[in-house]
Amino acid sequence: MDWSYLFKHWIGTLIMAPIIAQIIDLLMNKNNQILNFYESFPLFILFGLFFSTPTYLLYSILFYYLKYKNIKNVYAKIILISFALLGIIITFWLISGTLIYNGILIYCISSIITGTFFKIKTEK
C-alpha cells in the first residue's frame, strides 16, 4: 500500500469540506455570499489541519498496521475511511459548540467522498 493515499485522503477532506459547506449554505439559501467563502476558506483549512492532526497520526499507525498485515486494499480502504469518520465524530464532540452536527455532517461527507475517490496503490 502506498502512503500517498493517506495524504490525499487527509488533504482532500480538508479542502472539500468548506466547498461542501458552501454548497449546503447555497442550497439552504442561508448565505448567498460567495465572497464570505473566499474569506473563510483559509480558516477552514487552518483549523481543520490543526484539529485533524491527532486523528491522522493515529490513522497513519493504522495504515502502517494494515500495510504490514497485507490486508486487501478494498478492506483497508473501508477500515481507514471508517476510522477517519470515527475520528471526525470524536473530535467534534470534544470541541462541541453550536455547529457540531453540521461540522460532523460536512466533514464526514467530505471524508467519504475523498476516501472512496482516491485509490490505494500497491507499492512495487
Side-chain angles (χ1 to χ4, degrees), residues 2 4-5 8 73 77 114-121:
D2 184 21
S4 67
Y5 175 80
K8 289 176 189 176
N73 289 351
K77 194 182 249 195
T114 58
T116 54
F117 177 76
F118 294 117
K119 293 183 173 144
I120 299 179
K121 297 176 184 172

Side-chain angles (χ1 to χ4, degrees), residues 4-80:
S4 67
Y5 175 80
L6 181 143
F7 296 107
K8 289 176 189 176
H9 187 201
W10 187 14
I11 301 303
T13 300
L14 293 176
I15 291 172
M16 186 172 268
I19 295 168
I20 291 173
Q22 181 66 30
I23 291 169
I24 290 172
D25 279 352
L26 289 172
L27 292 175
M28 302 283 253
N29 211 11
K30 289 182 180 178
N31 181 4
N32 290 327
Q33 298 177 357
I34 299 295
L35 184 60
N36 188 22
F37 170 73
Y38 292 116
E39 294 170 353
S40 63
F41 187 78
L43 291 175
F44 260 96
I45 300 298
L46 184 65
F47 284 111
L49 189 62
F50 175 74
F51 286 114
S52 67
T53 299
T55 296
Y56 277 92
L57 287 175
L58 295 173
Y59 182 104
S60 66
I61 294 168
L62 177 62
F63 187 90
Y64 179 77
Y65 176 77
L66 295 173
K67 181 179 176 179
Y68 176 75
K69 289 293 185 178
N70 291 325
I71 295 184
K72 290 184 180 183
N73 289 351
V74 174
Y75 300 124
K77 194 182 249 195
I78 291 168
I79 293 168
L80 291 168

